[in-house]
Amino acid sequence: MKTWFKYTGLFLLLTLLAGCSDPPQLEAVKQQLKQDIPDGWQVTKFKVEASEDTGTKVEPLWQYRIAATIAPKENLHHKVGSLLQTDILEIAQEKKQPFQLHGIAYSTLDAGQWQSRLDLQSVPPFRPGKPLSAFNKQHVVQGSSDYKKLLKRAKTALTEQQQKIAVEEQQLASGIARYTELNRELQEKTRLSADHLANLQQQFSQQRAELQQQVSSQSRELSSQLQAERQQQTAVFKQDYDKKVAEIDSQHRLARASFSAERTRAREARSTERNKVRDEFAADTTNARKNMARADYTVYKAESDEKRRQAYQRIDEQYQAQLAEIKKQEDEHNASRRSNLDSLTAAYRQQVAELTEQQNNQTSSVRAELNQQQQDTRSKLDIELQQARDSHQALLQDNNRQLTELRVQLDKLQRQLNEAKNQYGQHSQLLARLEAVPDS
């Protein structure tokens, strides 16, 4: 649908075509008119009531007061709905029904071409509509004999559709009842199967627990015996290990005290040197302040501060070098200590590992035999239990399949029923609205 602005611009162009010797701005309007005339409409009258050249040679501008009349070339229609796959049309505008337009037109020269703009001052109520050729071939116009026949057929069709909806509602209610009963029966079957499976699981779980308890009891007895032997032997290993570690720790504490003392001496020496430099520079600057002019003292003081900072820096570098050397010696000592401890720990662990391996070899055959007996028994129980689970799962799947198939059928019927009710309601409302319109 084209806007009023486009139509009014077109009407201005038509109005400007009056006369056989139009100025250039109106000649451009004629060319634009061929492109902008809307389908199904025509200009029956137009005129320029007043015109004025309000521009300059540099910026040309023409203003026009225009009046135009437009009318449809044929009856134009509007679709109000559909019944029985047939579009129902009402007349939006009758053929040659006039519409009056008034407005102001402005024409300007832009890039060598005249351009027009229209400001409407009055716009009548307007429903453009469409010609019959724009609609589907299957249509009727309100008030026609075909239209009245269509309404009669639609009433009959609605009655039949209402009866069909009632049948489908009954079918849906019956299907829901079947679904409810089937669901109850399947739930009962599922409950019985689940109870049987639960009892079987409880029985097998108890048997596995008893078997596990028996194996565990025998394993604990063996473990207790071996643990007592291992504790006795490892105590001897540990006593020798602790003695050697104590010797290394004693040497380490002495070394740490020595390194701490060296750091303290280095720190005190650094503090003494810094205090000495500070006192010397303080005395020197105090003397200079008394004997120098203010400007000379300012320069001297800055130079003295820089020398003092450099002296501090040398003292700090020497101090850091001493700390680094102490740290190096301490790191070497710590590395040696860790190496000795690691060697002792490795030897102790090796002794314990050899003892553990020896005991493990003694119990391997016994535990292997116990485990094999337990595994054989559990395998038999697991096979039987898995068969019961598979049977229960198959029952569940079959129950779900039956319910799903019936549910799909009911859902399909429900959708069809909803669509039928929706369509029935729309057609009933449309038919009631159409019957309420008096025949023209």
Side-chain angles (χ1 to χ4, degrees), residues 92-120:
Q93 303 293 346
E94 295 182 353
K95 180 180 180 181
K96 297 184 179 180
Q97 181 179 356
F99 286 89
Q100 300 296 325
L101 301 177
H102 297 276
I104 304 297
Y106 303 89
S107 293
T108 59
L109 188 62
D110 184 10
Q113 300 292 330
W114 284 96
Q115 306 292 333
S116 298
R117 177 176 61 85
L118 179 64
D119 291 336
L120 290 180

PDB file of all heavy atoms in Angstrom, residues 92-120:
ATOM      1  N   ALA A  92     -13.878  -1.345  -0.904  1.00  0.00           N
ATOM      2  CA  ALA A  92     -13.206  -0.294  -0.136  1.00  0.00           C
ATOM      3  C   ALA A  92     -13.452   1.080  -0.762  1.00  0.00           C
ATOM      4  O   ALA A  92     -13.700   2.062  -0.052  1.00  0.00           O
ATOM      5  CB  ALA A  92     -11.709  -0.584  -0.051  1.00  0.00           C
ATOM      6  N   GLN A  93     -13.401   1.151  -2.098  1.00  0.00           N
ATOM      7  CA  GLN A  93     -13.649   2.401  -2.825  1.00  0.00           C
ATOM      8  C   GLN A  93     -14.419   2.055  -4.100  1.00  0.00           C
ATOM      9  O   GLN A  93     -14.077   1.090  -4.793  1.00  0.00           O
ATOM     10  CB  GLN A  93     -12.335   3.108  -3.189  1.00  0.00           C
ATOM     11  CG  GLN A  93     -11.428   3.429  -2.011  1.00  0.00           C
ATOM     12  CD  GLN A  93     -12.001   4.460  -1.087  1.00  0.00           C
ATOM     13  OE1 GLN A  93     -12.958   5.147  -1.442  1.00  0.00           O
ATOM     14  NE2 GLN A  93     -11.451   4.565   0.125  1.00  0.00           N
ATOM     15  N   GLU A  94     -15.432   2.852  -4.367  1.00  0.00           N
ATOM     16  CA  GLU A  94     -16.182   2.628  -5.594  1.00  0.00           C
ATOM     17  C   GLU A  94     -15.513   3.324  -6.771  1.00  0.00           C
ATOM     18  O   GLU A  94     -14.772   4.292  -6.601  1.00  0.00           O
ATOM     19  CB  GLU A  94     -17.609   3.158  -5.426  1.00  0.00           C
ATOM     20  CG  GLU A  94     -18.416   2.410  -4.366  1.00  0.00           C
ATOM     21  CD  GLU A  94     -19.828   2.925  -4.270  1.00  0.00           C
ATOM     22  OE1 GLU A  94     -20.137   3.951  -4.931  1.00  0.00           O
ATOM     23  OE2 GLU A  94     -20.636   2.315  -3.544  1.00  0.00           O
ATOM     24  N   LYS A  95     -15.806   2.799  -7.949  1.00  0.00           N
ATOM     25  CA  LYS A  95     -15.204   3.326  -9.170  1.00  0.00           C
ATOM     26  C   LYS A  95     -15.546   4.809  -9.335  1.00  0.00           C
ATOM     27  O   LYS A  95     -16.698   5.223  -9.152  1.00  0.00           O
ATOM     28  CB  LYS A  95     -15.713   2.530 -10.371  1.00  0.00           C
ATOM     29  CG  LYS A  95     -15.151   2.987 -11.702  1.00  0.00           C
ATOM     30  CD  LYS A  95     -15.706   2.134 -12.832  1.00  0.00           C
ATOM     31  CE  LYS A  95     -15.152   2.598 -14.180  1.00  0.00           C
ATOM     32  NZ  LYS A  95     -15.699   1.792 -15.294  1.00  0.00           N
ATOM     33  N   LYS A  96     -14.526   5.587  -9.631  1.00  0.00           N
ATOM     34  CA  LYS A  96     -14.628   7.039  -9.887  1.00  0.00           C
ATOM     35  C   LYS A  96     -15.117   7.825  -8.667  1.00  0.00           C
ATOM     36  O   LYS A  96     -15.557   8.970  -8.813  1.00  0.00           O
ATOM     37  CB  LYS A  96     -15.528   7.316 -11.083  1.00  0.00           C
ATOM     38  CG  LYS A  96     -14.992   6.752 -12.386  1.00  0.00           C
ATOM     39  CD  LYS A  96     -15.865   7.132 -13.556  1.00  0.00           C
ATOM     40  CE  LYS A  96     -15.305   6.574 -14.873  1.00  0.00           C
ATOM     41  NZ  LYS A  96     -16.145   6.935 -16.036  1.00  0.00           N
ATOM     42  N   GLN A  97     -15.036   7.253  -7.480  1.00  0.00           N
ATOM     43  CA  GLN A  97     -15.384   8.013  -6.273  1.00  0.00           C
ATOM     44  C   GLN A  97     -14.326   9.065  -6.028  1.00  0.00           C
ATOM     45  O   GLN A  97     -13.157   8.751  -5.827  1.00  0.00           O
ATOM     46  CB  GLN A  97     -15.490   7.069  -5.073  1.00  0.00           C
ATOM     47  CG  GLN A  97     -15.880   7.783  -3.783  1.00  0.00           C
ATOM     48  CD  GLN A  97     -15.993   6.806  -2.618  1.00  0.00           C
ATOM     49  OE1 GLN A  97     -15.852   5.607  -2.807  1.00  0.00           O
ATOM     50  NE2 GLN A  97     -16.258   7.331  -1.425  1.00  0.00           N
ATOM     51  N   PRO A  98     -14.685  10.340  -6.060  1.00  0.00           N
ATOM     52  CA  PRO A  98     -13.659  11.397  -6.035  1.00  0.00           C
ATOM     53  C   PRO A  98     -13.156  11.673  -4.610  1.00  0.00           C
ATOM     54  O   PRO A  98     -13.883  11.519  -3.640  1.00  0.00           O
ATOM     55  CB  PRO A  98     -14.404  12.609  -6.590  1.00  0.00           C
ATOM     56  CG  PRO A  98     -15.831  12.394  -6.180  1.00  0.00           C
ATOM     57  CD  PRO A  98     -16.059  10.904  -6.242  1.00  0.00           C
ATOM     58  N   PHE A  99     -11.895  12.095  -4.560  1.00  0.00           N
ATOM     59  CA  PHE A  99     -11.257  12.544  -3.318  1.00  0.00           C
ATOM     60  C   PHE A  99     -10.540  13.853  -3.621  1.00  0.00           C
ATOM     61  O   PHE A  99      -9.773  13.934  -4.595  1.00  0.00           O
ATOM     62  CB  PHE A  99     -10.259  11.504  -2.800  1.00  0.00           C
ATOM     63  CG  PHE A  99     -10.898  10.301  -2.203  1.00  0.00           C
ATOM     64  CD1 PHE A  99     -11.217   9.203  -2.999  1.00  0.00           C
ATOM     65  CD2 PHE A  99     -11.194  10.251  -0.855  1.00  0.00           C
ATOM     66  CE1 PHE A  99     -11.825   8.099  -2.452  1.00  0.00           C
ATOM     67  CE2 PHE A  99     -11.786   9.135  -0.294  1.00  0.00           C
ATOM     68  CZ  PHE A  99     -12.111   8.058  -1.097  1.00  0.00           C
ATOM     69  N   GLN A 100     -10.800  14.874  -2.807  1.00  0.00           N
ATOM     70  CA  GLN A 100     -10.207  16.185  -3.014  1.00  0.00           C
ATOM     71  C   GLN A 100      -8.937  16.332  -2.171  1.00  0.00           C
ATOM     72  O   GLN A 100      -8.924  15.953  -1.000  1.00  0.00           O
ATOM     73  CB  GLN A 100     -11.215  17.283  -2.625  1.00  0.00           C
ATOM     74  CG  GLN A 100     -12.502  17.257  -3.421  1.00  0.00           C
ATOM     75  CD  GLN A 100     -12.272  17.548  -4.900  1.00  0.00           C
ATOM     76  OE1 GLN A 100     -11.400  18.345  -5.248  1.00  0.00           O
ATOM     77  NE2 GLN A 100     -13.042  16.888  -5.762  1.00  0.00           N
ATOM     78  N   LEU A 101      -7.907  16.910  -2.810  1.00  0.00           N
ATOM     79  CA  LEU A 101      -6.643  17.170  -2.142  1.00  0.00           C
ATOM     80  C   LEU A 101      -6.261  18.624  -2.324  1.00  0.00           C
ATOM     81  O   LEU A 101      -6.478  19.204  -3.404  1.00  0.00           O
ATOM     82  CB  LEU A 101      -5.533  16.282  -2.701  1.00  0.00           C
ATOM     83  CG  LEU A 101      -5.727  14.777  -2.605  1.00  0.00           C
ATOM     84  CD1 LEU A 101      -4.569  14.066  -3.282  1.00  0.00           C
ATOM     85  CD2 LEU A 101      -5.830  14.368  -1.148  1.00  0.00           C
ATOM     86  N   HIS A 102      -5.701  19.222  -1.278  1.00  0.00           N
ATOM     87  CA  HIS A 102      -5.189  20.589  -1.343  1.00  0.00           C
ATOM     88  C   HIS A 102      -3.824  20.613  -0.659  1.00  0.00           C
ATOM     89  O   HIS A 102      -3.623  19.943   0.344  1.00  0.00           O
ATOM     90  CB  HIS A 102      -6.141  21.559  -0.642  1.00  0.00           C
ATOM     91  CG  HIS A 102      -7.495  21.643  -1.281  1.00  0.00           C
ATOM     92  ND1 HIS A 102      -7.774  22.461  -2.357  1.00  0.00           N
ATOM     93  CD2 HIS A 102      -8.639  20.962  -0.993  1.00  0.00           C
ATOM     94  CE1 HIS A 102      -9.038  22.301  -2.700  1.00  0.00           C
ATOM     95  NE2 HIS A 102      -9.593  21.386  -1.897  1.00  0.00           N
ATOM     96  N   GLY A 103      -2.908  21.386  -1.230  1.00  0.00           N
ATOM     97  CA  GLY A 103      -1.600  21.445  -0.628  1.00  0.00           C
ATOM     98  C   GLY A 103      -0.698  22.481  -1.283  1.00  0.00           C
ATOM     99  O   GLY A 103      -1.102  23.195  -2.209  1.00  0.00           O
ATOM    100  N   ILE A 104       0.520  22.569  -0.763  1.00  0.00           N
ATOM    101  CA  ILE A 104       1.522  23.498  -1.268  1.00  0.00           C
ATOM    102  C   ILE A 104       2.667  22.663  -1.856  1.00  0.00           C
ATOM    103  O   ILE A 104       3.149  21.726  -1.222  1.00  0.00           O
ATOM    104  CB  ILE A 104       2.069  24.423  -0.175  1.00  0.00           C
ATOM    105  CG1 ILE A 104       0.925  25.191   0.498  1.00  0.00           C
ATOM    106  CG2 ILE A 104       3.114  25.383  -0.743  1.00  0.00           C
ATOM    107  CD1 ILE A 104       0.175  26.110  -0.455  1.00  0.00           C
ATOM    108  N   ALA A 105       3.111  23.035  -3.073  1.00  0.00           N
ATOM    109  CA  ALA A 105       4.203  22.328  -3.735  1.00  0.00           C
ATOM    110  C   ALA A 105       5.415  23.239  -3.803  1.00  0.00           C
ATOM    111  O   ALA A 105       5.301  24.457  -3.959  1.00  0.00           O
ATOM    112  CB  ALA A 105       3.790  21.893  -5.130  1.00  0.00           C
ATOM    113  N   TYR A 106       6.585  22.623  -3.662  1.00  0.00           N
ATOM    114  CA  TYR A 106       7.853  23.344  -3.741  1.00  0.00           C
ATOM    115  C   TYR A 106       8.714  22.645  -4.786  1.00  0.00           C
ATOM    116  O   TYR A 106       8.893  21.419  -4.731  1.00  0.00           O
ATOM    117  CB  TYR A 106       8.565  23.328  -2.397  1.00  0.00           C
ATOM    118  CG  TYR A 106       7.762  23.902  -1.271  1.00  0.00           C
ATOM    119  CD1 TYR A 106       6.921  23.072  -0.532  1.00  0.00           C
ATOM    120  CD2 TYR A 106       7.836  25.258  -0.933  1.00  0.00           C
ATOM    121  CE1 TYR A 106       6.169  23.576   0.517  1.00  0.00           C
ATOM    122  CE2 TYR A 106       7.089  25.758   0.118  1.00  0.00           C
ATOM    123  CZ  TYR A 106       6.257  24.926   0.838  1.00  0.00           C
ATOM    124  OH  TYR A 106       5.519  25.421   1.868  1.00  0.00           O
ATOM    125  N   SER A 107       9.251  23.435  -5.733  1.00  0.00           N
ATOM    126  CA  SER A 107      10.116  22.873  -6.768  1.00  0.00           C
ATOM    127  C   SER A 107      11.472  23.552  -6.690  1.00  0.00           C
ATOM    128  O   SER A 107      11.570  24.783  -6.699  1.00  0.00           O
ATOM    129  CB  SER A 107       9.501  23.076  -8.159  1.00  0.00           C
ATOM    130  OG  SER A 107       8.317  22.316  -8.296  1.00  0.00           O
ATOM    131  N   THR A 108      12.518  22.736  -6.594  1.00  0.00           N
ATOM    132  CA  THR A 108      13.886  23.254  -6.521  1.00  0.00           C
ATOM    133  C   THR A 108      14.731  22.577  -7.587  1.00  0.00           C
ATOM    134  O   THR A 108      14.445  21.451  -8.020  1.00  0.00           O
ATOM    135  CB  THR A 108      14.496  22.992  -5.136  1.00  0.00           C
ATOM    136  OG1 THR A 108      14.492  21.587  -4.903  1.00  0.00           O
ATOM    137  CG2 THR A 108      13.703  23.695  -4.052  1.00  0.00           C
ATOM    138  N   LEU A 109      15.788  23.259  -7.987  1.00  0.00           N
ATOM    139  CA  LEU A 109      16.703  22.737  -8.988  1.00  0.00           C
ATOM    140  C   LEU A 109      17.885  22.098  -8.259  1.00  0.00           C
ATOM    141  O   LEU A 109      18.605  22.764  -7.529  1.00  0.00           O
ATOM    142  CB  LEU A 109      17.182  23.871  -9.901  1.00  0.00           C
ATOM    143  CG  LEU A 109      18.010  23.432 -11.129  1.00  0.00           C
ATOM    144  CD1 LEU A 109      17.166  22.536 -12.039  1.00  0.00           C
ATOM    145  CD2 LEU A 109      18.509  24.658 -11.898  1.00  0.00           C
ATOM    146  N   ASP A 110      18.077  20.805  -8.478  1.00  0.00           N
ATOM    147  CA  ASP A 110      19.125  20.053  -7.769  1.00  0.00           C
ATOM    148  C   ASP A 110      19.931  19.273  -8.799  1.00  0.00           C
ATOM    149  O   ASP A 110      19.399  18.383  -9.474  1.00  0.00           O
ATOM    150  CB  ASP A 110      18.512  19.095  -6.752  1.00  0.00           C
ATOM    151  CG  ASP A 110      19.572  18.378  -5.923  1.00  0.00           C
ATOM    152  OD1 ASP A 110      20.752  18.764  -6.019  1.00  0.00           O
ATOM    153  OD2 ASP A 110      19.218  17.442  -5.183  1.00  0.00           O
ATOM    154  N   ALA A 111      21.227  19.618  -8.935  1.00  0.00           N
ATOM    155  CA  ALA A 111      22.129  18.952  -9.885  1.00  0.00           C
ATOM    156  C   ALA A 111      21.566  18.979 -11.302  1.00  0.00           C
ATOM    157  O   ALA A 111      21.622  17.987 -12.042  1.00  0.00           O
ATOM    158  CB  ALA A 111      22.388  17.520  -9.447  1.00  0.00           C
ATOM    159  N   GLY A 112      20.969  20.104 -11.662  1.00  0.00           N
ATOM    160  CA  GLY A 112      20.456  20.259 -13.021  1.00  0.00           C
ATOM    161  C   GLY A 112      19.090  19.648 -13.229  1.00  0.00           C
ATOM    162  O   GLY A 112      18.560  19.716 -14.342  1.00  0.00           O
ATOM    163  N   GLN A 113      18.475  19.041 -12.179  1.00  0.00           N
ATOM    164  CA  GLN A 113      17.159  18.421 -12.290  1.00  0.00           C
ATOM    165  C   GLN A 113      16.203  19.090 -11.299  1.00  0.00           C
ATOM    166  O   GLN A 113      16.579  19.387 -10.175  1.00  0.00           O
ATOM    167  CB  GLN A 113      17.242  16.915 -12.000  1.00  0.00           C
ATOM    168  CG  GLN A 113      18.157  16.148 -12.930  1.00  0.00           C
ATOM    169  CD  GLN A 113      17.611  16.085 -14.339  1.00  0.00           C
ATOM    170  OE1 GLN A 113      16.399  16.099 -14.531  1.00  0.00           O
ATOM    171  NE2 GLN A 113      18.500  16.031 -15.318  1.00  0.00           N
ATOM    172  N   TRP A 114      14.958  19.262 -11.783  1.00  0.00           N
ATOM    173  CA  TRP A 114      13.952  19.849 -10.895  1.00  0.00           C
ATOM    174  C   TRP A 114      13.392  18.777  -9.973  1.00  0.00           C
ATOM    175  O   TRP A 114      13.010  17.697 -10.411  1.00  0.00           O
ATOM    176  CB  TRP A 114      12.815  20.489 -11.705  1.00  0.00           C
ATOM    177  CG  TRP A 114      13.221  21.817 -12.309  1.00  0.00           C
ATOM    178  CD1 TRP A 114      13.678  22.042 -13.543  1.00  0.00           C
ATOM    179  CD2 TRP A 114      13.201  23.067 -11.636  1.00  0.00           C
ATOM    180  NE1 TRP A 114      13.977  23.362 -13.732  1.00  0.00           N
ATOM    181  CE2 TRP A 114      13.676  24.027 -12.554  1.00  0.00           C
ATOM    182  CE3 TRP A 114      12.833  23.493 -10.361  1.00  0.00           C
ATOM    183  CZ2 TRP A 114      13.783  25.365 -12.230  1.00  0.00           C
ATOM    184  CZ3 TRP A 114      12.937  24.831 -10.055  1.00  0.00           C
ATOM    185  CH2 TRP A 114      13.416  25.759 -10.984  1.00  0.00           C
ATOM    186  N   GLN A 115      13.368  19.090  -8.653  1.00  0.00           N
ATOM    187  CA  GLN A 115      12.829  18.196  -7.647  1.00  0.00           C
ATOM    188  C   GLN A 115      11.637  18.874  -6.987  1.00  0.00           C
ATOM    189  O   GLN A 115      11.642  20.087  -6.764  1.00  0.00           O
ATOM    190  CB  GLN A 115      13.875  17.857  -6.579  1.00  0.00           C
ATOM    191  CG  GLN A 115      15.173  17.299  -7.130  1.00  0.00           C
ATOM    192  CD  GLN A 115      14.973  15.932  -7.740  1.00  0.00           C
ATOM    193  OE1 GLN A 115      14.062  15.208  -7.348  1.00  0.00           O
ATOM    194  NE2 GLN A 115      15.810  15.571  -8.701  1.00  0.00           N
ATOM    195  N   SER A 116      10.584  18.052  -6.692  1.00  0.00           N
ATOM    196  CA  SER A 116       9.351  18.607  -6.124  1.00  0.00           C
ATOM    197  C   SER A 116       9.068  18.007  -4.763  1.00  0.00           C
ATOM    198  O   SER A 116       9.381  16.845  -4.505  1.00  0.00           O
ATOM    199  CB  SER A 116       8.168  18.348  -7.059  1.00  0.00           C
ATOM    200  OG  SER A 116       8.356  18.973  -8.316  1.00  0.00           O
ATOM    201  N   ARG A 117       8.453  18.811  -3.906  1.00  0.00           N
ATOM    202  CA  ARG A 117       8.022  18.388  -2.580  1.00  0.00           C
ATOM    203  C   ARG A 117       6.658  18.984  -2.298  1.00  0.00           C
ATOM    204  O   ARG A 117       6.386  20.124  -2.666  1.00  0.00           O
ATOM    205  CB  ARG A 117       9.017  18.849  -1.523  1.00  0.00           C
ATOM    206  CG  ARG A 117       8.610  18.511  -0.099  1.00  0.00           C
ATOM    207  CD  ARG A 117       9.721  18.915   0.882  1.00  0.00           C
ATOM    208  NE  ARG A 117       9.991  20.345   0.840  1.00  0.00           N
ATOM    209  CZ  ARG A 117       9.310  21.254   1.536  1.00  0.00           C
ATOM    210  NH1 ARG A 117       8.300  20.869   2.290  1.00  0.00           N
ATOM    211  NH2 ARG A 117       9.628  22.527   1.470  1.00  0.00           N
ATOM    212  N   LEU A 118       5.777  18.198  -1.667  1.00  0.00           N
ATOM    213  CA  LEU A 118       4.406  18.628  -1.453  1.00  0.00           C
ATOM    214  C   LEU A 118       4.058  18.531   0.025  1.00  0.00           C
ATOM    215  O   LEU A 118       4.318  17.512   0.656  1.00  0.00           O
ATOM    216  CB  LEU A 118       3.447  17.742  -2.260  1.00  0.00           C
ATOM    217  CG  LEU A 118       1.963  18.054  -2.117  1.00  0.00           C
ATOM    218  CD1 LEU A 118       1.647  19.432  -2.660  1.00  0.00           C
ATOM    219  CD2 LEU A 118       1.134  16.998  -2.828  1.00  0.00           C
ATOM    220  N   ASP A 119       3.472  19.591   0.569  1.00  0.00           N
ATOM    221  CA  ASP A 119       2.941  19.597   1.931  1.00  0.00           C
ATOM    222  C   ASP A 119       1.420  19.688   1.832  1.00  0.00           C
ATOM    223  O   ASP A 119       0.867  20.717   1.419  1.00  0.00           O
ATOM    224  CB  ASP A 119       3.472  20.787   2.734  1.00  0.00           C
ATOM    225  CG  ASP A 119       4.961  20.639   3.018  1.00  0.00           C
ATOM    226  OD1 ASP A 119       5.432  19.491   3.019  1.00  0.00           O
ATOM    227  OD2 ASP A 119       5.638  21.663   3.232  1.00  0.00           O
ATOM    228  N   LEU A 120       0.724  18.568   2.207  1.00  0.00           N
ATOM    229  CA  LEU A 120      -0.742  18.562   2.133  1.00  0.00           C
ATOM    230  C   LEU A 120      -1.328  19.351   3.290  1.00  0.00           C
ATOM    231  O   LEU A 120      -0.896  19.219   4.427  1.00  0.00           O
ATOM    232  CB  LEU A 120      -1.250  17.115   2.172  1.00  0.00           C
ATOM    233  CG  LEU A 120      -0.965  16.275   0.925  1.00  0.00           C
ATOM    234  CD1 LEU A 120      -1.515  14.885   1.128  1.00  0.00           C
ATOM    235  CD2 LEU A 120      -1.557  16.921  -0.304  1.00  0.00           C
TER     236      LEU A 120
END
